[in-house]
Amino acid sequence: MDTLTGLLEGPKARGAFLLKSVLDPPWSVRIEDRAPLSVVTMVHGTAWLLPEGQDAEPVRIGPGDVAVVRGPEPYRVADSPETPVQITVGPDQRCSTQAGEDVSDSMALGVRTWGAASPGAGAAVMLSGTYQAPSEIGRRLLDALPTILVRPAGAAAATLIALLASEISREEPGQEVVLDRLLDLLLIGVLRAWPTAAGSGAPAWYRAGGDPVVGPALRLLHENPAHGWTVEELALRVGVSRASLARRFTEVVGEPPAGYLTGWRLALAADLLREPDATVATVARRVGYGSAFALSTAFKRVRGVSPREFRAGASGPVTGALAPGPGGTVILT
């Protein structure tokens, strides 16, 4: 398992909020849903993504472009940066006008479709998908993402967008799972291109998979985090000296192998603790700790709460809990 595969094991859509919006210009929608992550793409027309913040720059997307927007801060989507806000989408995905009128139902056009009832020739058609509560493994990735990440139109994405546009308004057995997986594939397509893009700002540990020494070491840690890894054994498996591995790993990743493994194990543990039938003891064994006490001690030292306290807090909404990301916009090429 490479680094990216391990990181993307976490953010699997589970009942994601997906919507096809049909919008007649001029239009402007302010998103205040506090979702950790959203995917936006255009089927027809163009749109401007307008994040908030001092250094935020408007980003134009056209048909086939796929944008990943990192929350939970509000942002606008509009036909023009100058168009004033007309509709606000709140945390419960309810839509209201600037006067406070709820138009969630009155502007509904059918299954997962919303907007103008009689759109003109210049109407924009936008598909959006919102991850409501990404897993804790995905949080390591989310914390490193820029505010907006855009992948220009391409053949692979075009196929997925066409399929999503076809499926989003259907209601058949298993439809939710089909839509979740299509959303995941769009997201993964953007994230795969991110670390290799010039000036991407991707963190060192995210780019490290291509390093001839660190890449294999990371794959070993991800494939079997419960193993009792030592730097000596890891170096032997990679085919370098212990000193060489420790030095290179720290240079590329920014922390030594033992520190990285601890963080990865605790991220896995946090994800597993969300499973209703998992006990602290079973989670401990699955991530490489000898007992529930050992996991609890490490978990509380790093995260400030015990696994049981974390589980209790994780049972409620988590959409606004992300730390501020690095900001900025990255256009992949």
Side-chain angles (χ1 to χ4, degrees):
M1 181 190 298
D2 59 41
T3 307
L4 180 59
T5 299
L7 291 165
L8 293 179
E9 279 295 301
K12 290 189 179 74
R14 298 176 180 89
F17 181 82
L18 287 111
L19 188 68
K20 177 167 73 174
S21 300
V22 182
L23 302 156
D24 248 340
W27 58 270
S28 179
V29 180
R30 178 178 166 86
I31 312 297
E32 297 181 355
D33 60 4
R34 297 194 62 78
L37 192 70
S38 298
V39 178
V40 180
T41 187
M42 302 302 294
V43 179
H44 299 296
T46 61
W48 285 86
L49 295 172
L50 300 112
E52 297 193 350
Q54 264 188 333
D55 301 325
E57 293 288 338
V59 181
R60 184 178 181 273
I61 59 172
D65 296 341
V66 182
V68 173
V69 184
R70 184 195 186 281
E73 297 304 317
Y75 63 97
R76 286 194 297 127
V77 190
D79 69 319
S80 167
E82 287 75 37
T83 304
V85 173
Q86 299 159 345
I87 303 291
T88 297
V89 180
D92 54 359
Q93 300 297 342
R94 302 297 293 180
C95 303
S96 59
T97 65
Q98 292 303 94
E101 178 189 0
D102 190 322
V103 292
S104 305
D105 298 327
S106 62
M107 294 186 68
L109 301 176
V111 178
R112 302 184 193 88
T113 306
W114 181 92
S118 301
V125 177
M126 178 174 68
L127 306 180
S128 57
T130 300
Y131 286 78
Q132 305 290 327
S135 77
E136 193 66 18
I137 300 175
R139 193 172 301 272
R140 183 179 177 104
L141 176 60
L142 287 167
D143 286 346
L145 284 173
T147 302
I148 298 178
L149 190 60
V150 179
R151 186 179 187 185
T159 301
L160 286 173
I161 293 168
L163 187 55
L164 180 60
S166 171
E167 293 284 345
I168 200 168
S169 301
R170 300 172 67 179
E171 196 64 277
E172 297 181 4
Q175 194 69 17
E176 185 176 281
V177 176
V178 170
L179 294 173
D180 282 348
R181 297 294 77 81
L182 288 173
L183 181 62
D184 288 339
L185 288 171
L186 277 176
L187 172 64
I188 290 169
V190 177
L191 296 182
R192 286 176 68 186
W194 178 40
T196 57
S200 69
W205 53 262
Y206 192 60
R207 303 191 305 267
D211 187 271
V213 173
V214 180
L218 284 172
R219 283 190 284 275
L220 289 169
L221 296 179
H222 286 184
E223 286 168 1
N224 193 1
H227 182 70
W229 292 106
T230 64
V231 178
E232 288 85 355
E233 181 183 0
L234 203 58
L236 182 64
R237 296 281 295 273
V238 173
V240 297
S241 70
R242 178 189 183 282
S244 295
L245 175 63
R247 181 176 60 253
R248 183 63 182 165
F249 198 104
T250 303
E251 287 175 354
V252 174
V253 179
E255 61 183 327
Y260 182 88
L261 179 58
T262 296
W264 181 244
R265 283 172 169 170
L266 294 179
L268 284 168
D271 189 34
L272 293 170
L273 285 166
R274 295 183 185 276
E275 297 180 2
D277 298 328
T279 67
V280 177
T282 58
V283 170
R285 288 193 295 272
R286 289 176 67 179
V287 301
Y289 286 90
S291 66
F293 177 78
L295 172 61
S296 297
T297 300
F299 202 96
K300 188 161 189 176
R301 183 183 70 249
V302 173
R303 294 177 176 265
V305 295
S306 70
R308 287 185 174 84
E309 290 169 331
F310 172 83
R311 169 179 275 169
S315 62
V318 299
T319 54
L322 292 174
T329 301
V330 175
I331 310 295
L332 305 176
T333 56

